[in-house]
């Protein structure tokens, strides 16, 4: 085993009274009750204070209990980001039920399979995605909630002929207001209301080791798996990272753009920031350039979490042309001092575009391109990196703004124990394995897969390859499942080769896969830019594009070890198929090239 960091025997909460969602809601209420907690960024009427949050969570919990929902029952959530997503989740988990967040990008088939596999007794869904749940709702006796207003839509209102437009306006029971007023009338004193809530807490309160969520992943290797995360897993991870990687205050604003059903966004972008009293502003629409710029100007966020794809696109479309297209600055880029001055000027413009207040631009979910990272470092842009998986709730290692080193993730989260398995004696690279309070309970209904995921002494095998630097910081080298074994037994990491292609002019992205003992690079170009800059007829574009990728093959191969050189290039004309978290579905393309 490689180097490891030992966990302490006793771990106490830093910012919470205990690691349960019920305690989380109550603690946030006690500290920040009058402050804004949640809001859709361009909708004043959607504002939810911390006091409102507790009231609505309590109300929804009461309603679930009144309908016979019990500890351990599963309720799915399928929706775009909005305040009621979090209210629903907390209402479910605060009474020991289990939330099943579903990524909106999942197909109707996948949604139905997840609902069936999880034995969902309830579904909270937006009008936008109701059709994805239709098959399950038609055949199962489930309690259905419209997330837009958290109305319980009864079976009388919803039937087999219902269209999504009907669902949007269907009548139902207001679970956040009307019901709460019936149970806890306005005439009741605050003391009586508190006594009632405490009685609810004693009867239904979850323990720290109870399952809070079952999150279904559909990764780059195919089959979805139901990851069981406990209250402690999620809340401990958020609580620990809140002090170690970022310093936030109750005045800070967060722009939420990633799906809340993804654990990276949920733990770090929701739970962590609420622990610190921040306000979350939701971008309901997909984060396209136009909608993002409007939201940046309106919210002026201090915090945003993204995947690398967003900043990489911004770099290649807006920043790189400024650097390469301006001939006057080219001589100054050769000197590190003047280059940094130029990069910092561009970095200040980038911050201004984002509202001028950014102090934590979190990047996670996939590796960050090294050329992009080099620019971010020299421009003094306040980005942060994190590494983890759904199974680790998610954070395993990271580094905050101003503490970055190119290609290095950063230090291990305190109290987590990280080791390397089957270490290569020459490179120091091994499979990353993790033990700690953040590691999942297992895969739902799959004891065999759970057993296979852990070592005999209890370390979760991530499937990622990495090594430590001299300071004990983690560096990711690739996926063990994507690593290609060369004809001479050498280990080839396709991600490193792909990065070299991606940094060439006109290249949008690349996928390297094995074929007949060699390597194929599937290259997708920005054809519009390629055609415009070379001023050619549309009929000549494909021919010239094929010639160009052959040129790139020869160029990149000069920088690669002999064992990692590309044998063949292909022009990828269609966008690569992706997982809901925007990783390429590598396994599909490996199958296509397998002989």
């Amino acid at each position: 085993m490689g180097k490891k960091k030992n966990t302490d025997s006793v771990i106490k909460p830093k910012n919470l009274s205990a690691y349960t969602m019920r305690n989380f809601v109550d603690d946030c209420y006690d500290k920040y009750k009058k402050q804004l907690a949640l809001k859709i960024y361009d909708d004043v009427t959607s504002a939810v204070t911390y006091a409102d949050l507790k009231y609505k969570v309590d109300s929804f919990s009461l309603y679930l209990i009144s309908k016979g929902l019990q500890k351990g029952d599963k309720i799915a959530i399928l929706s775009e980001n909005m305040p009621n997503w979090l209210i629903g989740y907390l209402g479910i988990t605060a009474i020991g039920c289990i939330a099943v967040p579903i990524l909106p990008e999942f197909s109707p088939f996948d949604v139905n399979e997840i609902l069936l596999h999880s034995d969902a007794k309830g579904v909270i869904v937006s009008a936008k995605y109701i059709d994805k749940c239709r098959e399950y709702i038609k055949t199962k006796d489930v309690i259905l909630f419209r997330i837009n207003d958290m109305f319980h839509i009864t079976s009388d209102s919803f039937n087999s002929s219902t269209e999504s437009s009907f669902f949007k306006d269907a009548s139902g029971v207001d679970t956040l207001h009307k019901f709460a007023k019936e149970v806890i009338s306005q005439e009741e004193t605050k003391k009586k209301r508190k006594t009632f809530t405490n009685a609810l807490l004693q009867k239904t309160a979850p323990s720290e080791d109870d399952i809070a969520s079952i999150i279904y992943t559909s990764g780059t290797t195919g089959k979805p798996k139901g990851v069981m995360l406990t209250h402690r897993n999620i809340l401990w991870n958020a609580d620990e990272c809140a002090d170690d990687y970022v310093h936030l205050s109750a005045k800070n604003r967060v722009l939420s753009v990633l799906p809340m059903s993804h654990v990276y966004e949920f733990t770090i972008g929701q739970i962590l920031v609420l622990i610190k009293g921040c306000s979350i502003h939701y971008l309901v629409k997909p984060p396209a350039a136009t909608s993002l710029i409007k939201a940046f100007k309106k919210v002026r966020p201090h915090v945003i979490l993204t995947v690398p794809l967003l900043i990489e696109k911004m770099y290649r479309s807006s920043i790189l042309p400024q650097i390469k297209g301006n001939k006057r600055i080219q001589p100054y880029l050769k000197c590190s001092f003047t280059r940094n001055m130029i990069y910092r000027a561009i970095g200040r413009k980038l911050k201004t575009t984002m509202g001028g207040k950014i102090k934590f631009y979190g990047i996670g979910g996939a590796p960050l391109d090294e050329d992009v990272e080099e620019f971010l470092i020299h421009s003094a842009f306040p980005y942060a990196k994190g590494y983890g998986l759904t199974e680790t709730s998610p954070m395993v290692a990271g580094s905050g703004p101003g503490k970055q080193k190119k290609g290095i993730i950063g230090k291990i989260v305190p109290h987590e124990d990280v080791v390397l398995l089957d270490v290569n004696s020459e490179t120091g690279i091994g499979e990353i394995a993790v033990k700690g309070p953040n590691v999942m309970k297992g895969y739902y209904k799959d004891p065999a897969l759970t057993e296979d995921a852990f070592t005999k002494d209890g370390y979760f095998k991530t499937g990622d390859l990495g090594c430590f630097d001299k300071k004990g910081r983690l560096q990711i080298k690739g996926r063990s499942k994507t690593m290609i074994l060369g004809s001479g037994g050498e280990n080839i990491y396709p991600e490193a080769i792909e990065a070299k292609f991606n940094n060439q002019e006109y290249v949008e992205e690349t996928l390297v896969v094995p074929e007949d003992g060699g390597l194929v690079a599937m290259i997708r170009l920005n054809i519009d830019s390629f055609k415009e800059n070379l001023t050619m007829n549309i009929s000549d574009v494909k021919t010239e594009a094929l010639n160009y990728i052959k040129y790139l093959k020869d160029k990149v191969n000069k920088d690669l070890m002999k064992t990692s050189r590309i044998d063949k290039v292909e022009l990828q004309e269609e966008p690569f198929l992706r997982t809901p978290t925007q990783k390429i579905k590598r396994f599909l393309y490996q199958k296509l090239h397998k002989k």
Side-chain angles (χ1 to χ4, degrees), residues 14-33:
K14 293 181 177 181
N15 300 286
L16 297 170
S17 57
Y19 290 136
T20 73
M21 293 298 170
R22 169 56 63 185
N23 288 94
F24 164 74
V25 172
D26 290 343
D27 291 346
C28 289
Y29 169 78
D30 290 338
K31 292 178 185 176
Y32 314 116
K33 56 175 71 78

Side-chain angles (χ1 to χ4, degrees), residues 424 427 429 465 483-486 489-493 563-564:
N424 183 303
T427 63
I429 296 171
L465 299 169
M483 186 191 75
I484 299 167
L485 193 64
E490 59 280 337
N491 295 339
I492 300 169
Y493 304 105
T563 53
S564 298

Side-chain angles (χ1 to χ4, degrees), residues 323-387:
I323 297 170
K324 288 190 173 182
N326 190 336
K327 292 181 180 180
R328 290 180 300 173
I329 69 171
Q330 296 308 307
Y332 299 103
L333 295 177
K334 296 175 182 178
C335 169
S336 60
F337 177 75
T338 51
R339 181 195 62 200
N340 286 351
M341 287 181 63
I342 292 166
Y343 280 10
R344 289 191 179 204
I346 297 172
R348 286 193 292 273
K349 286 183 181 178
L350 181 59
K351 281 186 68 175
T352 301
T353 301
M354 295 182 177
K357 296 289 185 180
I358 288 286
K359 63 187 284 188
F360 187 91
Y361 186 98
I363 301 173
L368 176 63
D369 178 271
E370 289 198 3
D371 278 10
V372 177
E373 182 167 20
E374 187 170 3
F375 164 77
L376 294 175
I377 290 171
H378 291 304
S379 66
F381 187 76
Y383 79 106
K385 283 184 299 186
Y387 162 74

Side-chain angles (χ1 to χ4, degrees), residues 268-280:
I268 308 301
Q270 306 290 315
I271 300 298
L272 183 154
V273 299
L274 290 175
I275 285 174
K276 289 297 185 179
C278 301
S279 59
I280 303 174

Side-chain angles (χ1 to χ4, degrees), residues 5 48 89 98 118 154 157 177 193 199 276 280 304 306 318 365 370 378 388 398 400 425 429 437 480 518 543 575 583:
K5 199 171 176 68
V48 176
Y89 179 100
I98 298 170
S118 66
T154 63
S157 300
H177 299 98
R193 186 177 189 278
K276 289 297 185 179
I280 303 174
I304 183 172
T306 71
S318 302
E370 289 198 3
H378 291 304
S425 57
I429 296 171
S480 60
T543 300
K583 298 184 184 77

Side-chain angles (χ1 to χ4, degrees), residues 456-495:
K456 290 182 179 179
D457 51 352
Y459 286 85
F460 170 69
K461 298 181 287 186
T462 66
D464 290 316
L465 299 169
C467 59
F468 294 104
D469 69 2
K470 292 178 181 178
K471 293 185 178 180
R473 295 173 299 190
L474 186 64
Q475 184 174 8
I476 307 300
K477 290 297 185 180
R479 290 283 295 168
S480 60
K481 290 181 180 178
T482 65
M483 186 191 75
I484 299 167
L485 193 64
S487 56
E490 59 280 337
N491 295 339
I492 300 169
Y493 304 105
E495 295 90 347

